[in-house]
Amino acid sequence: MKSEDISALERLKSNGCVQIDQGEVIDKVFNALKWNGFYQTSRTAILLLSLVNIALTAASVVFIGKPVDHKCRRLQSLNITIQDVSYDFTLNRSSIPYEISYTQCSVDVRNGSDLVFTSSCRDGYDYTESMTSSFVAEWDLVCNEESFSDISQTVLVVGEMFGCLFLTRFADRYGRKVSFIVTSLLFLAANMTCAFSPDFIFYLVFRFITGLSVACSQQLSYIMMIEMMPTEHRALPEKLSSFLWPVSLLCLCLVAYLTKELSWHYTQLCLSMFAIYVIFLWWITDESIRWLCAVKRYKEVEKLVKKIARINRVDPQDALDLLRTNGLSPLESNGVDRDYNNKEVLISPTMIDVHSSHPDKKLSVFIKNRNLFKVTVVSCYSW
């Protein structure tokens, strides 16, 4: 906030004006509506399902990309010239003094203990399980290409990084609800498409889109849960998510066990179906009251307050009075209310600290704050 704005606020305070913190007002509104009522409980449960999605997505590669025991497939022919004599080692004639062996990643020709010739598995591999039991076996991501099987997880994490950095900003512009639903639907579509991947490149592309969308969806679900609760209870979603993460992994193990005899495509499809509920999100989720107040859509705020009160079976009048008294309603949306203990009330349209000298929330400002940057780096490394 500029210095002249701070000075203006100080003059208003000295003249007997009262500055209203919008966040505190909304906290009182939630308490008046019964913050732990059925509305908050049911919506929190729905939003927590996004954590199930990210847990299943992150750990699914353990099963759909599992390593499978293998060895080189028997060659149709192998002609080698040794000391001006040409041998076809696939004929297995007793007169040939050499032995051919098929290992995991090579075809070796030996004379006793001496290695005479070695070659890669030119005709592919034979697996101890079905080739569709894992995408590693289906696309031969073994031996020299073994590292490619890990790239799928790297691509997912890179997608999550870009999703958190760039997609979440749309929530401030277009609202929490719209952004959450769009990214959730994108996740469902991309994750299901992965199950029908014809090749590894196709799978990587949609794995990236999956990470891009699931991270943004999960972050927005946290934001919506936090903004739906009073400040003193904001730690509750994190406590619930800490419990839900291992439960999600247990569900993953159960699905993997039930589909162990099937193709990895079916396992992937079953896991993606955990997010089928996102199709109905438009009708079972609501916009954040805090965001609606920040953009001054007060009619929608009152409508949502009445809906919450009806579901929680409480009288909405106290909450509506708090909104109207503090200028957060269509009746008092000009920012000034004359009827508040006979004092003029100044409504702060945002929840930014008035004493902050850095209202600019750009990334450069974040990096320049050494303590905040240091804590973030350590937290990310620990994660």
Side-chain angles (χ1 to χ4, degrees):
M1 182 172 288
K2 297 180 180 179
S3 57
E4 55 267 26
D5 294 333
I6 297 177
S7 301
L9 289 175
E10 294 297 335
R11 287 197 301 271
L12 287 170
K13 289 181 180 180
S14 63
N15 292 332
C17 295
V18 179
Q19 184 185 2
I20 300 300
D21 185 341
Q22 192 178 91
E24 292 182 3
V25 173
I26 298 176
D27 284 348
K28 294 178 181 179
V29 169
F30 282 133
N31 285 322
L33 293 172
K34 191 178 180 182
W35 73 270
N36 58 348
F38 180 76
Y39 176 88
Q40 287 84 352
T41 303
S42 59
R43 269 54 180 185
T44 299
I46 294 169
L47 293 171
L48 280 172
L49 290 176
S50 64
L51 183 66
V52 176
N53 295 333
I54 195 170
L56 296 180
T57 302
S60 62
V61 71
V62 174
F63 298 101
I64 66 175
K66 64 181 179 180
V68 181
D69 290 336
H70 62 279
K71 66 178 182 179
C72 289
R73 186 172 297 156
R74 295 186 66 86
L75 301 177
Q76 297 297 322
S77 63
L78 179 60
N79 294 308
I80 303 176
T81 300
I82 302 176
Q83 296 179 353
D84 298 329
V85 179
S86 180
Y87 298 94
D88 185 354
F89 287 91
T90 59
L91 298 179
N92 291 326
R93 293 177 179 174
S94 59
S95 59
I96 299 178
Y98 302 101
E99 294 182 356
I100 183 171
S101 61
Y102 297 90
T103 64
Q104 283 191 335
C105 298
S106 65
V107 179
D108 299 332
V109 177
R110 295 180 179 275
N111 183 5
S113 60
D114 297 330
L115 180 64
V116 177
F117 175 83
T118 185
S119 172
S120 61
C121 303
R122 61 179 70 175
D123 285 353
Y125 304 88
D126 288 326
Y127 295 92
T128 57
E129 300 180 32
S130 169
M131 289 186 63
T132 58
S133 62
S134 166
F135 67 70
V136 170
E138 181 173 344
W139 296 320
D140 289 337
L141 302 179
V142 294
C143 298
N144 293 335
E145 297 185 356
E146 183 177 0
S147 59
F148 286 104
S149 62
D150 298 327
I151 289 180
S152 64
Q153 198 70 354
T154 303
V155 168
L156 176 72
V157 174
V158 171
E160 291 176 355
M161 180 183 69
F162 279 98
C164 290
L165 284 177
F166 300 110
L167 292 187
T168 49
R169 65 178 61 187
F170 290 107
D172 291 331
R173 177 174 297 182
Y174 302 108
R176 286 30 172 156
K177 178 179 177 178
V178 172
S179 302
F180 176 64
I181 293 175
V182 170
T183 53
S184 297
L185 289 173
L186 180 61
F187 163 75
L188 175 63
N191 207 26
M192 291 184 67
T193 304
C194 285
F196 301 96
S197 300
D199 54 59
F200 189 54
I201 299 300
F202 186 94
Y203 176 77
L204 288 182
V205 171
F206 281 91
R207 186 74 166 167
F208 175 82
I209 298 174
T210 298
L212 194 76
S213 54
V214 73
C216 183
S217 173
Q218 190 254 349
Q219 290 296 318
L220 291 177
S221 69
Y222 268 123
I223 292 172
M224 294 175 73
M225 283 187 288
I226 288 173
E227 292 185 347
M228 192 168 52
M229 296 182 179
T231 304
E232 62 268 22
H233 299 293
R234 286 186 172 182
L236 182 59
E238 181 61 30
K239 294 178 182 178
L240 294 174
S241 64
S242 298
F243 168 78
L244 194 58
W245 184 274
V247 172
S248 303
L249 297 183
L250 291 176
C251 293
L252 170 63
C253 295
L254 178 61
V255 172
Y257 175 78
L258 295 176
T259 59
K260 64 180 180 179
E261 302 298 332
L262 302 176
S263 167
W264 72 268
H265 296 274
Y266 289 104
T267 304
Q268 173 69 27
L269 186 61
C270 290
L271 293 175
S272 65
M273 294 301 289
F274 274 81
I276 197 67
Y277 71 93
V278 303
I279 297 175
F280 309 100
L281 281 178
W282 184 263
W283 297 278
I284 57 179
T285 57
D286 297 298
E287 186 55 83
S288 166
I289 287 182
R290 297 182 190 272
W291 183 81
L292 290 173
C293 288
V295 296
K296 300 182 180 180
R297 288 161 58 172
Y298 299 131
K299 289 184 179 180
E300 295 179 47
V301 173
E302 286 201 355
K303 183 178 179 181
L304 183 53
V305 165
K306 292 177 182 178
K307 177 181 178 179
I308 296 173
R310 184 179 69 254
I311 295 176
N312 288 348
R313 297 182 179 180
V314 296
D315 187 359
Q317 196 57 48
D318 290 342
L320 293 174
D321 288 342
L322 281 168
L323 292 173
R324 292 165 182 168
T325 302
N326 294 286
L328 301 178
S329 72
L331 301 178
E332 301 292 347
S333 59
N334 58 356
V336 176
D337 184 3
R338 298 286 181 177
D339 187 18
Y340 187 79
N341 296 332
N342 297 322
K343 292 183 179 181
E344 188 179 49
V345 179
L346 174 67
I347 302 301
S348 177
T350 66
M351 289 171 278
I352 300 174
D353 184 5
V354 296
H355 299 292
S356 174
S357 59
H358 297 287
D360 185 4
K361 301 301 179 183
K362 293 182 179 179
L363 184 61
S364 59
V365 177
F366 166 77
I367 295 176
K368 290 178 182 178
N369 188 324
R370 291 187 176 182
N371 290 332
L372 183 59
F373 183 70
K374 188 186 301 181
V375 170
T376 303
V377 170
V378 172
S379 300
C380 291
Y381 177 78
S382 300
W383 173 252

